[in-house]
Amino acid sequence: MIPLKRPLSHPSFIFNKSNSKSLRSLIKNTRSTNETFSSPIPIFYFKFSDSTMPIFAANSSSFSRVNTHFPDSVNQQTLTSKAQTFPQIRTFCVKRTNPNAELSASNDIPIVSTVSGPIQTSQPIDAGSSMRKPISLWPGMYHSPVTNALWEARSSMFEKSFAEKDSQTELVAKTPSMSRTSIAYKFSSDYILREQYKNPWDEMRMGKLLEDLDALAGTISYKHCRKDDGATRPILLVTASVDKMVLKKPIRVDFDLKISGAVTWVGRSSMEIQMEVTQSTPDSPDPSDSVALVANFTFVARDSKTGKSAPLNQILPETEHEKLLWEEAEERNKMRKQKRVAEKKDVDNRDEDRLNTLLAEGRVFCDMPALADRDSILIRDTRHENSLMCQPQQRNIHGRIFGGFLMRKASELAFSNAYAFAGAAPCFMEVDHVDFFKPVDVGNFLRFKSCVLYTELENPMKPLINVEVVAHVTRPELRCSEVSNKFYFTFTVRPEAMKEGLKIRNVVPATEEEARRVLERMDAERSQ
């Protein structure tokens, strides 16, 4: 249903003037009856919950609306009709046949809208009347079309808590299948859901998809840590990093989409969750060709009281595929540790020549701008920024800013930066490894700073634009600013735009610090 907050004088509410006197007469005669009546004007029926407060609802077969222009004290659940009953209004919901049932390991979470679009005929699924919403979890939690459903699915896990004595008992190892969860997007039939995810070019908003991946990974991590009876341990599970994600094929917003994932590797206090985005289209009907993106999320566990690392349930891979995924994850974990050690070493002397080569053109821009290459541009001239206050409505279940929200904001700023730089709509290619250095709390002043770090122009029909986004947590009262996250996105432009004469410029650093950042990113790309 679509809530409306507008007066009855709005153009959407049209009375038949010829019958207006009879309607007013009926209202006057029935003001104290507290009954439901059918209006002489077919478009409306109405009910008086008391002697002074009317509630109107449209009765047309082509749409369903509830007028909420009147005060919130009116209980909408008492509204009845001969034709239909209006349930509690929830924008998106989880289909659950039993309100007391726990989230099953193989359960698909359908994401549907509760409003009918112009071409949507199926009845919406509404779980708002039966879904239990613990008051400690729901107020202020960040919601989007998918996270709304995931919070509902996750809430059942929190309604039972470990007893103090149980939290110290031995943790039971679990199989990957016990945490596997899928979420389905019915884009082909759900017009309203499709509208939430398409950009101005009728393509997928990749930022929202990254946001949903993080939300689903969080749900999977909690499924892995809960007991068989649904009780949850008093631990905090937070996103530590996200491995490089490469788009294997374009994702379309007019075909059904599915995200699925499971825990594939567990250390002492960290776990890796592999996510798959699949979509079957007429171009790729083969299921083996339906994988559009693979993402690996690393979550770490912290004791909710002390903040120290907390042990996790170990993993027991069963199938050959699960064992292969475990081995691959183990190798990635070793590589991450080696990378952290390598990053502490100083830059070798052999990189001095590369630094000087990168800085040569930048010095011309700074010292002799009239003679600079017109096909190049300085990094600092590609900068864009976005600032926002972290509001309570954006917090997650731990009271901190939802990690997926940060990823979406960074992705959208990177897209805008690439768009302004290229002069044509960019196409998402990949997002490199993401580290979450500092948590972001409600009330923090968050600044996203982006720039085009470098371009790759070897293939003239498919140039690559590498965009860096750095998130700074700023606390004006303390006069401090810290880096929370670093994001690296790669975009390209369509071949049609290149054929029409579009030219992508080379980007050069002006300072040694910028040159070192460019070299670090180039080396990171080559090492993967």
Side-chain angles (χ1 to χ4, degrees):
M1 301 180 188
I2 307 177
L4 299 178
K5 295 187 177 180
R6 60 180 80 171
L8 293 181
S9 59
H10 191 277
S12 298
F13 298 91
I14 302 175
F15 286 90
N16 187 336
K17 293 183 178 179
S18 61
N19 292 332
S20 60
K21 290 184 178 180
S22 59
L23 177 61
R24 286 197 297 269
S25 175
L26 179 60
I27 293 175
K28 182 177 180 180
N29 295 334
T30 59
R31 185 173 291 272
S32 60
T33 58
N34 194 27
E35 297 179 0
T36 301
F37 294 87
S38 295
S39 168
I41 303 176
I43 194 65
F44 285 98
Y45 72 85
F46 52 92
K47 173 183 177 178
F48 299 107
S49 57
D50 57 38
S51 59
T52 60
M53 188 58 59
I55 299 177
F56 290 85
N59 197 21
S60 170
S61 60
S62 60
F63 60 87
S64 298
R65 296 180 177 177
V66 174
N67 186 331
T68 57
H69 173 68
F70 301 102
D72 296 335
S73 59
V74 179
N75 184 3
Q76 293 183 2
Q77 288 183 335
T78 61
L79 179 63
T80 58
S81 169
K82 297 178 180 179
Q84 66 180 100
T85 299
F86 286 74
Q88 284 184 321
I89 300 172
R90 296 191 61 81
T91 306
F92 292 86
C93 58
V94 171
K95 181 179 180 181
R96 183 181 292 187
T97 56
N98 182 1
N100 296 316
E102 301 292 347
L103 185 65
S104 63
S106 61
N107 185 34
D108 283 3
I109 304 176
I111 304 303
V112 299
S113 68
T114 59
V115 286
S116 297
I119 58 174
Q120 183 180 351
T121 57
S122 60
Q123 280 294 108
I125 301 172
D126 178 75
S129 59
S130 61
M131 180 60 61
R132 296 168 295 170
K133 299 175 283 294
I135 194 167
S136 61
L137 297 178
W138 284 90
M141 287 200 313
Y142 180 73
H143 292 281
S144 73
V146 168
T147 57
N148 197 35
L150 292 174
W151 296 141
E152 291 185 351
R154 198 184 300 183
S155 68
S156 64
M157 305 177 198
F158 284 88
E159 293 180 3
K160 296 180 180 180
S161 299
F162 266 38
E164 192 68 27
K165 59 180 181 179
D166 294 336
S167 62
Q168 306 298 327
T169 58
E170 182 179 357
L171 299 176
V172 178
K174 295 190 174 184
T175 64
S177 60
M178 297 176 71
S179 65
R180 181 166 298 279
T181 309
S182 301
I183 195 162
Y185 300 73
K186 301 297 183 181
F187 287 136
S188 62
S189 57
D190 194 329
Y191 169 82
I192 299 299
L193 182 64
R194 186 163 68 247
E195 285 293 306
Q196 299 292 317
Y197 282 82
K198 76 175 184 179
N199 65 16
W201 297 272
D202 289 333
E203 296 173 347
M204 173 64 69
R205 289 177 60 187
M206 294 303 300
K208 287 187 70 67
L209 192 61
L210 295 178
E211 180 180 56
D212 294 346
L213 284 167
D214 183 73
L216 181 56
T219 298
I220 292 171
S221 68
Y222 277 103
K223 287 185 67 176
H224 178 77
C225 295
R226 67 174 181 169
K227 293 178 63 177
D228 293 337
D229 63 357
T232 55
R233 296 166 54 210
I235 58 174
L236 306 180
L237 292 168
V238 295
T239 310
S241 64
V242 184
D243 283 352
K244 183 175 182 177
M245 289 183 277
V246 180
L247 191 65
K248 297 183 178 181
K249 68 172 189 176
I251 298 177
R252 299 179 58 174
V253 77
D254 52 346
F255 286 90
D256 291 350
L257 186 74
K258 185 177 182 180
I259 299 178
S260 58
V263 176
T264 55
W265 176 90
V266 177
R268 180 190 173 276
S269 61
S270 62
M271 70 176 79
E272 184 173 295
I273 300 166
Q274 184 169 99
M275 315 286 293
E276 275 191 355
V277 180
T278 57
Q279 184 180 61
S280 297
T281 63
D283 300 333
S284 57
D286 188 352
S288 61
D289 298 330
S290 63
V291 179
L293 187 145
V294 177
N296 295 301
F297 285 75
T298 300
F299 277 70
V300 294
R302 295 287 182 265
D303 187 274
S304 60
K305 296 180 180 179
T306 65
K308 298 181 179 179
S309 61
L312 290 170
N313 304 69
Q314 291 301 301
I315 196 76
L316 289 176
E318 294 179 312
T319 66
E320 291 300 322
H321 180 64
E322 290 174 350
K323 294 177 181 178
L324 177 62
L325 292 178
W326 185 92
E327 293 174 357
E328 292 175 351
E330 177 72 12
E331 185 64 27
R332 281 192 295 270
N333 185 58
K334 292 179 180 178
M335 290 180 62
R336 279 194 289 267
K337 292 180 179 178
Q338 295 173 0
K339 183 180 178 181
R340 284 195 290 268
V341 174
E343 287 177 348
K344 296 180 180 179
K345 297 181 180 179
D346 295 331
V347 179
D348 295 336
N349 291 331
R350 65 175 181 271
D351 286 336
E352 293 298 324
D353 293 337
R354 299 170 64 196
L355 282 172
N356 291 329
T357 302
L358 280 175
L359 286 169
E361 186 62 31
R363 293 192 181 103
V364 175
F365 269 94
C366 296
D367 300 334
M368 298 171 286
L371 302 178
D373 185 1
R374 300 307 174 196
D375 292 331
S376 299
I377 186 174
L378 291 176
I379 289 177
R380 68 188 183 197
D381 293 330
T382 68
R383 292 174 180 169
H384 287 262
E385 290 190 18
N386 185 20
S387 301
L388 58 93
M389 288 298 302
C390 297
Q391 305 293 345
Q393 294 77 16
Q394 296 154 357
R395 72 182 187 268
N396 59 19
I397 57 178
H398 303 311
R400 285 178 166 161
I401 300 304
F402 175 46
F405 171 78
L406 301 177
M407 294 178 67
R408 176 169 67 86
K409 298 300 288 187
S411 174
E412 291 174 348
L413 178 59
F415 183 95
S416 301
N417 199 334
Y419 188 18
F421 173 78
C427 300
F428 174 86
M429 294 287 293
E430 64 185 50
V431 55
D432 203 357
H433 182 89
V434 178
D435 285 310
F436 291 79
F437 302 116
K438 298 286 184 180
V440 182
D441 295 318
V442 173
N444 286 163
F445 180 48
L446 194 61
R447 300 182 66 186
F448 291 93
K449 300 180 181 181
S450 72
C451 67
V452 178
L453 206 54
Y454 65 96
T455 55
E456 300 175 62
L457 309 177
E458 289 78 9
N459 184 352
M461 298 307 295
K462 193 177 181 180
L464 300 181
I465 304 170
N466 295 272
V467 181
E468 175 191 64
V469 180
V470 182
H472 296 261
V473 177
T474 305
R475 296 177 176 87
E477 295 89 348
L478 302 178
R479 299 174 60 194
C480 70
S481 179
E482 298 177 296
V483 174
S484 169
N485 308 85
K486 287 186 178 180
F487 305 89
Y488 298 95
F489 298 88
T490 302
F491 298 90
T492 187
V493 293
R494 296 177 182 82
E496 303 83 49
M498 302 304 296
K499 291 179 181 178
E500 293 175 358
L502 180 66
K503 193 169 185 179
I504 303 299
R505 302 170 75 177
N506 185 40
V507 181
V508 296
T511 65
E512 183 175 330
E513 184 270 337
E514 290 178 345
R516 291 187 184 279
R517 282 161 52 199
V518 172
L519 288 180
E520 288 175 2
R521 290 311 310 152
M522 288 181 172
D523 292 342
E525 286 289 331
R526 294 191 184 100
S527 64
Q528 295 176 357

